[in-house]
């Protein structure tokens, strides 16, 4: 199984845990990049619910290590002050893509732009999206 890197979007919105609970990554090693942890801690320190929720989601995965996924590894470098300053212009996403490519993992994201940029850069990527209840009810009328 390939190693998986989840970006901040997939951690915060619960897609990481949803995928883990489905059993589809139980044989995979999950890499949590330092840049993702730093972003979540920064958000939580700024009293943003998204940061606190993201940290909670990683904690849930940690509790299920060995069952939900084979192993969790925390790795990567801390973003520089310049990268943090340029975060609003996509620099953190670039750092996440670069480090994913460097470790030969697959990037799991809920961010369409991040997904497209990863594809353009040659990073193996998976777009994780939530389907609404209405969409799911509509889709049941069609063959797969």
């Amino acid at each position: 199984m390939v190693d998986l890197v989840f970006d901040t979007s997939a951690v915060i919105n619960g897609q990481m845990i949803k995928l883990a609970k489905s059993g589809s990554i139980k044989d995979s090693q999950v890499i949590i990049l330092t840049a993702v942890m730093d972003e979540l801690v920064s958000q939580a320190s700024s009293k943003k619910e998204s940061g606190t929720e993201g940290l909670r989601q990683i904690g849930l995965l940690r509790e299920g290590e060995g069952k939900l996924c084979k192993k969790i590894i925390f790795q990567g470098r801390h973003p520089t002050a310049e990268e943090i300053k340029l975060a609003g212009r996509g620099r953190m996403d670039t750092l996440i893509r670069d480090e994913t490519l460097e470790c030969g993992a697959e990037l799991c994201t809920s961010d369409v732009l991040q997904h497209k940029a990863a594809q353009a850069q040659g990073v193996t990527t998976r777009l994780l999206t939530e389907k609404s209840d209405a969409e799911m009810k509509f889709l049941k009328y069609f063959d797969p």
Side-chain angles (χ1 to χ4, degrees):
M1 223 40 198
V2 69
D3 292 346
L4 302 174
V5 169
F6 289 88
D7 76 352
T8 313
S9 67
V11 172
I12 289 172
N13 72 9
Q15 290 298 309
M16 177 183 71
I17 287 296
K18 184 177 179 181
L19 193 62
K21 286 183 177 179
S22 77
S24 64
I25 67 168
K26 69 179 182 211
D27 295 324
S28 296
Q29 182 169 268
V30 173
I31 299 169
I32 305 292
L33 295 176
T34 302
V36 171
M37 284 298 292
D38 284 358
E39 195 170 5
L40 293 171
V41 169
S42 174
Q43 290 173 7
S45 295
S46 297
K47 307 289 188 229
K48 292 184 179 175
E49 180 62 31
S50 58
T52 304
E53 180 58 23
L55 294 171
R56 188 180 78 76
Q57 294 289 321
I58 291 173
L60 290 172
L61 188 64
R62 170 64 85 195
E63 289 171 10
E65 186 176 12
K67 295 175 191 150
L68 298 176
C69 65
K70 183 165 65 174
K71 187 175 182 181
I72 302 170
I73 295 174
F74 294 85
Q75 75 179 43
R77 65 177 181 80
H78 292 279
T80 64
E82 184 71 15
E83 288 168 330
I84 293 168
K85 184 177 165 184
L86 296 173
R89 294 192 172 147
R91 185 60 190 132
M92 295 302 284
D93 288 344
T94 301
L95 175 60
I96 290 167
R97 288 192 309 275
D98 289 350
E99 290 197 358
T100 300
L101 188 59
E102 193 174 293
C103 63
E106 178 179 344
L107 176 63
C108 299
T109 181
S110 296
D111 180 337
V112 174
L113 182 58
Q114 173 78 311
H115 176 67
K116 289 180 187 243
Q119 287 178 319
Q121 194 175 341
V123 176
T124 304
T125 181
R126 185 185 317 187
L127 182 62
L128 305 174
T129 58
E130 279 188 84
K131 292 188 170 139
S132 69
D133 288 339
E135 186 179 11
M136 292 302 289
K137 287 176 186 172
F138 177 74
L139 289 176
K140 76 178 182 180
Y141 294 105
F142 295 91
D143 292 328

